[in-house]
Amino acid sequence: MKPGERIRLIKRAAQILGAQSESDVVLTLEQHGLQIGNPDWYEGDMAAFATNVLGSASDQVLTDLVEFLEGEAAGHPPAIASSGNPWGSNPTRVFISHVHADRHLVGGAKRILEARYGIDAFVAHDDIHPSRSWRDQIKIALNTCHFFAALINLTDFHASQWCDQEVGWALAKRIPILPIRPAGFDRMAARDGFLEEHQDVCIPDSATNPEYWVAHQIFSAVVREPSLREVSVKSLVEALVNSRSYDSTRLIWAHIASQPNIESEQLRRLEYAVQTNDQVYNANVDGILVPDLVKTLIERFEPPTPSWPDDSPF
């Protein structure tokens, strides 16, 4: 594994561990066979503590640990940000409305969107009756999201005052919306009011991992939305940085290559991707290696300055 790949995994693991208690962090690291030292030296900064410990971890341990932590993160309700900002650091912000019964599916989709697609997902509520502080976070998230996804349960979604109010809020603000329906849904039975005017998707019966299917549908809808082109390009680039397979790299690259403009900051991230991720730098599209495609793309948006011959007689 290249150093850049290790750095990416260490940072991802430290990010997740940084939000956990000291006892949970110690337990997780010890169970993965790591020598932890004295966490008291870090005065409660679990992210810094984890970063130091993980520096000596083997490539396989790093990979296994990140997979475990991302799976664990899917089962926890989102933390309420003390700053009033409910979002993480990803470029695109998606609000996901759902009922309590679908919390595990939505939690899995949230994890995948954030880890693989460069999209922060706000899971509307993990409780039937959100606390006042959590309701405030919901309102902030509705006011600041770029995209709205509604996972419409067959029986409970419209019975929930929270879900219907969230949908109404999104409709009133003209936020792009993706309704997502369960497998086997009969569209003739839809009773969604104004939501019926929005193109929906239906989870197929064949979806063995519906959380991946839901995450990919949200990602695809975001990158197709013309009004979100600026932020979706950033998410596309982050998705390439985090690509986990050659097929994923090729799929993401097809979207990136079709963009009419990519800013310098994102071009640098593309260079980072081909330096640090073996699922990118070893991948090819129609026989052309992705690093060569990235180089050509950069020259397209940042053409080299022409050098003029020196006409001076001296």
Side-chain angles (χ1 to χ4, degrees):
M1 186 183 296
K2 288 189 174 182
E5 292 178 80
R6 288 182 55 83
I7 290 170
R8 179 165 59 87
L9 291 176
I10 290 171
K11 286 184 174 180
R12 177 58 179 156
Q15 178 189 26
I16 298 174
L17 290 169
Q20 298 183 9
S21 68
E22 179 179 313
S23 59
D24 284 346
V25 173
V26 169
L27 174 64
T28 298
L29 295 176
E30 286 183 337
Q31 290 304 307
H32 281 81
L34 295 168
Q35 300 297 317
I36 63 166
N38 187 357
D40 293 342
W41 296 343
Y42 295 85
E43 298 180 344
D45 188 343
M46 290 297 98
F49 169 60
T51 299
N52 179 268
V53 172
L54 293 172
S56 60
S58 69
D59 293 350
Q60 188 60 56
V61 167
L62 269 180
T63 302
D64 291 345
L65 178 62
V66 170
E67 288 184 358
F68 165 76
L69 289 172
E70 289 181 345
E72 283 287 289
H76 295 302
I80 298 176
S82 58
S83 65
N85 177 15
W87 304 105
S89 58
N90 281 312
T92 306
R93 303 187 293 268
V94 173
F95 188 105
I96 305 180
S97 184
H98 70 291
V99 295
H100 185 72
D102 291 325
R103 65 192 183 281
H104 296 301
L105 170 58
V106 171
K110 168 184 168 68
R111 169 179 58 85
I112 295 160
L113 285 167
E114 293 177 347
R116 301 195 179 189
Y117 289 125
I119 292 175
D120 275 338
F122 182 89
V123 174
H125 42 83
D126 194 57
D127 209 341
I128 297 173
H129 301 293
S131 66
R132 180 174 296 277
S133 59
W134 189 234
R135 292 200 300 267
D136 290 341
Q137 291 292 297
I138 291 174
K139 289 188 285 187
I140 293 170
L142 284 166
N143 272 326
T144 56
C145 69
H146 297 114
F147 193 87
F148 184 95
L151 190 65
I152 303 177
N153 180 284
L154 279 173
T155 57
D156 302 333
F157 188 86
H158 292 303
S160 164
Q161 61 172 322
W162 302 108
C163 292
D164 260 0
Q165 288 180 23
E166 289 156 5
V167 168
W169 192 308
L171 288 167
K173 287 180 63 66
R174 298 183 181 275
I175 300 168
I177 296 176
L178 176 67
I180 303 172
R181 304 188 188 278
F185 178 79
D186 180 4
R187 285 184 171 85
M188 297 300 294
R191 296 291 186 271
D192 296 325
F194 293 118
L195 197 57
E196 292 178 7
E197 299 172 6
H198 293 263
Q199 181 63 48
D200 61 1
V201 294
C202 188
I203 301 174
D205 291 318
S206 59
T208 55
N209 293 300
E211 65 273 21
Y212 284 91
W213 189 92
V214 168
H216 183 73
Q217 291 300 313
I218 292 173
F219 169 72
S220 298
V222 165
V223 300
R224 289 196 307 264
E225 173 57 44
S227 66
L228 300 182
R229 186 177 298 278
E230 183 176 346
V231 293
S232 67
V233 169
K234 295 177 182 179
S235 288
L236 278 168
V237 171
E238 292 309 307
L240 191 73
V241 169
N242 295 302
S243 176
R244 305 246 181 126
S245 70
Y246 296 153
D247 286 341
S248 178
T249 294
R250 283 188 279 267
L251 175 66
I252 296 164
W253 180 257
H255 289 292
I256 291 174
S258 67
Q259 298 304 314
N261 184 50
I262 300 179
E263 299 294 331
S264 177
E265 182 181 352
Q266 278 66 63
L267 295 176
R268 302 291 77 78
R269 291 294 286 165
L270 290 176
E271 289 177 329
Y272 175 77
V274 299
Q275 292 167 0
T276 62
N277 189 339
D278 64 343
Q279 299 303 306
V280 177
Y281 62 72
N282 285 330
N284 72 81
V285 177
D286 296 329
I288 304 175
L289 286 172
V290 170
D292 294 331
L293 293 171
V294 169
K295 180 180 178 181
T296 300
L297 187 77
I298 291 173
E299 291 174 351
R300 171 181 157 199
F301 293 116
E302 292 181 344
T305 304
S307 58
W308 303 101
D310 185 0
D311 294 330
S312 171
F314 304 104

